[in-house]
Amino acid sequence: MKALWNKYPCPELSFVKEHKVIGLEKVSDDKLVVQKLMYCSKLRFLKTLTVEEMHFDFKKQTLVSRTKFLKASGFWSQDGVEEMTYKSADETECTLCSKVIHGATAMKSSFDKFFSSFKQGCQVVERNARSMVEKASL
């Protein structure tokens, strides 16, 4: 989860221009909800303001992140919600990642054609995690 938290800034995901924690709530001893405001810009006409809500469950070792557009331009649809899930797979010492886009049908069909940010984001998280493991073993 620490590797995911440190995902921004990085060159592969340079479309995220700014991000700031705007909310933090301890739900229980092993659950935490964090809200982040993010400004993203890709190309000249694709700019958006999003809110990302991250649900950490330390007992289950999962993180579910839901991103919703607050203000969009270009072809972005404001009714779409991107949901990403990261789950620790203990037996293989890896993290499983999944992504679903709810709503915004037109956005779903064109999203993968224009962006490979999910794959890049997973690679950034993996690189961060490996770096942390290497530093810890020194």
Side-chain angles (χ1 to χ4, degrees), residues 58-88:
F58 298 104
K59 188 175 183 179
K60 293 181 181 177
Q61 293 190 327
T62 61
L63 167 63
V64 177
S65 170
R66 292 181 187 92
T67 304
K68 181 163 179 49
F69 296 106
L70 297 176
K71 178 76 176 155
S73 68
F75 73 89
W76 295 117
S77 171
Q78 285 189 239
D79 63 342
V81 176
E82 175 188 75
E83 182 176 288
M84 297 194 316
T85 303
Y86 299 85
K87 179 167 179 33
S88 175

Side-chain angles (χ1 to χ4, degrees), residues 91-108:
E91 64 279 355
T92 59
E93 294 184 15
C94 67
T95 301
L96 305 175
C97 307
S98 66
K99 176 178 178 173
V100 176
I101 297 177
H102 303 280
T105 310
M107 186 179 148
K108 286 182 193 178

Side-chain angles (χ1 to χ4, degrees), residues 19-67:
H19 61 103
K20 182 176 184 172
V21 173
I22 58 171
L24 182 65
E25 178 185 358
K26 182 179 176 183
V27 179
S28 66
D29 285 341
D30 58 349
K31 292 183 181 177
L32 182 69
V33 177
V34 176
Q35 288 135 353
K36 289 171 70 176
L37 188 64
M38 295 173 39
Y39 172 67
C40 304
S41 177
K42 189 156 186 160
L43 308 174
R44 288 181 187 203
F45 61 94
L46 297 176
K47 299 179 188 321
T48 185
L49 188 61
T50 64
V51 65
E52 179 179 46
E53 189 172 275
M54 298 180 290
H55 295 258
F56 292 88
D57 187 325
F58 298 104
K59 188 175 183 179
K60 293 181 181 177
Q61 293 190 327
T62 61
L63 167 63
V64 177
S65 170
R66 292 181 187 92
T67 304

